Amino acid sequence: MAMNVSSACFSVLSYKKPNRIRAVASEESTGAVTLKTDKEDKVKLGGSELKVTRLGIGAWSWGDTSYWNNFQWDDKKLKAAKAAFCASVDGGATFFDTAEVYGSPLALGAETSETLLGRFIKERERNNPGEEVAVATKFAALPWRLGRQSVLCALKDSLNRLGLSSVDLYQLHWPGIWGNEGYIDGLGDALEQGLVKAVGVSNYNEGRLRDAYERLKKRGIPLASNQVNYSLIYRAPEQNGVKAACDELGITLIAYCPIAQGALTGKYTPKNPPSGLRGRIYTPEFLTKLQPLLNRIKEIGGNYGKNQTQVVLNWLIAQENVVPIPGAKNAEQAEEFAGALGWRLSNEEVEELRSLASEISPAIGFPVENL
């Protein structure tokens, strides 16, 4: 479930039971494996009781006019986002991640991601009663937000936008400049009050992650997840101790930007780089160095009847304890992402791709990781 940024607390709207579905490996092996995809299969997030599909969907672009959608939002993009939602659920990916800062206010000609997600859930539910969707949202650690009560206020504000009485996963979007202990306490309060089923953090380095884990542990509350930038060409979590800490402590790593904002899909080339702000990150020079890796990904995918996008998502799924959440802007992308489920790269292929990717300088990450 999800949340939004506001300094005021709003009353919670009437609740309709959210939808949920699952997608998990039914067997394990050290080699390449074909897995069953069953809508009743899920993976548990960390030490919590919350179970979600092995692949989720990020809703960052829904309603956004500042980074995605060529800086404009219209009915066509709205219909495409709704189609992405429905195709994701149909394909077995029913874990959706949003945040109070995703999307744009009506004053800028768009809507917030939370508002859209809540609407899509309700519209889907009318025709598919009992179908469940798990929703995650995030609290923005803005400098003027102080203390545990700010977390509860923001959460209730998000619930109002979503039209829900509780969320599945509530996360701190990034570490605050100050007041982080209060934020962690607010997460615990939200869980104890039944407003959330599990709590997590995002963009937390190893030290902050361990501190948050221990503070919640004292209250008997598991830290379910840490959402960080993680992909085949951005493996900072492997190098800075975050992934190792997650594995050690039993915290699920949720991987955002798992296809490197499209750079790993094969869609972009040195002669056809992405537009807008992404073009400043994935430059023609960077894409030139990326081509040998993309070629090998394509070759491996051919052995499974999969494309490059599906291979790089499966590479993350094969890490274990990792749930990738690629962003879907339309039904075609959502259907493509679902093709990452139901099979598994071999250990040898996983390591080969990691080795090839290590020869490429990583793209720029989210600076708050280093706070």
Side-chain angles (χ1 to χ4, degrees), residues 91-347:
T94 59
F95 175 44
F96 293 88
D97 178 80
T98 184
E100 60 175 342
V101 296
Y102 290 169
S104 303
L106 286 172
L108 296 180
E111 295 182 86
T112 67
S113 174
E114 288 181 323
T115 301
L116 292 172
L117 179 57
R119 184 189 307 163
F120 297 161
I121 291 173
K122 288 182 177 65
E123 292 173 351
R124 173 91 182 189
E125 194 173 48
R126 282 198 290 268
N127 298 321
N128 301 273
E131 186 178 62
E132 296 183 336
V133 168
V135 183
T137 192
K138 297 183 284 292
F139 166 86
L142 302 172
W144 55 87
R145 285 180 161 174
L146 302 175
R148 62 207 304 167
Q149 191 61 34
S150 66
V151 176
L152 295 174
C153 283
L155 172 56
K156 291 175 182 178
D157 207 7
S158 286
L159 292 174
N160 182 68
R161 281 185 294 274
L162 285 162
L164 300 171
S165 65
S166 68
V167 297
D168 293 285
L169 176 66
Y170 196 50
Q171 307 153 94
L172 302 181
H173 205 155
W174 59 79
I177 300 174
W178 49 67
N180 285 286
E181 291 184 350
Y183 296 155
I184 297 297
D185 292 340
L187 289 181
D189 295 344
L191 189 140
E192 290 177 348
Q193 292 180 26
L195 298 175
V196 303
K197 296 179 177 66
V199 296
V201 294
S202 181
N203 297 301
Y204 269 47
N205 62 26
E206 180 187 358
R208 289 187 180 277
L209 183 67
R210 291 184 181 277
D211 290 344
Y213 172 86
E214 292 297 336
R215 192 169 185 87
L216 288 169
K217 183 180 179 182
K218 292 177 181 178
R219 298 173 65 172
I221 297 173
L223 180 62
S225 60
N226 184 20
Q227 184 178 145
V228 296
N229 188 348
Y230 185 34
S231 71
L232 182 57
I233 58 172
Y234 189 83
R235 299 183 316 286
E238 295 178 1
Q239 299 152 358
N240 60 21
V242 166
K243 187 175 186 303
C246 285
D247 294 341
E248 173 195 338
L249 301 175
I251 300 169
T252 299
L253 190 155
I254 299 176
Y256 70 77
C257 294
I259 56 176
Q261 300 183 33
L264 285 170
T265 66
K267 175 181 179 180
Y268 301 114
T269 66
K271 293 183 179 180
N272 179 40
S275 60
L277 296 175
R278 287 182 296 158
R280 299 180 183 180
I281 300 174
Y282 304 107
T283 63
E285 293 76 16
F286 181 88
L287 292 171
T288 297
K289 296 177 181 178
L290 191 60
Q291 291 311 299
L293 173 63
L294 291 176
N295 292 338
R296 181 55 182 148
I297 291 171
K298 185 175 182 179
E299 290 175 359
I300 291 175
N303 297 330
Y304 294 92
K306 301 295 181 179
N307 65 24
Q308 290 153 299
T309 299
Q310 293 159 344
V311 170
V312 296
L313 289 173
N314 193 271
W315 183 85
L316 287 167
I317 293 171
Q319 305 300 312
E320 297 299 340
N321 198 35
V322 175
V323 174
I325 52 168
K329 293 193 288 186
N330 54 55
E332 292 73 22
Q333 289 179 345
E335 292 165 357
E336 180 181 40
F337 298 155
L341 297 169
W343 61 286
R344 185 74 57 83
L345 291 168
S346 70
N347 288 349

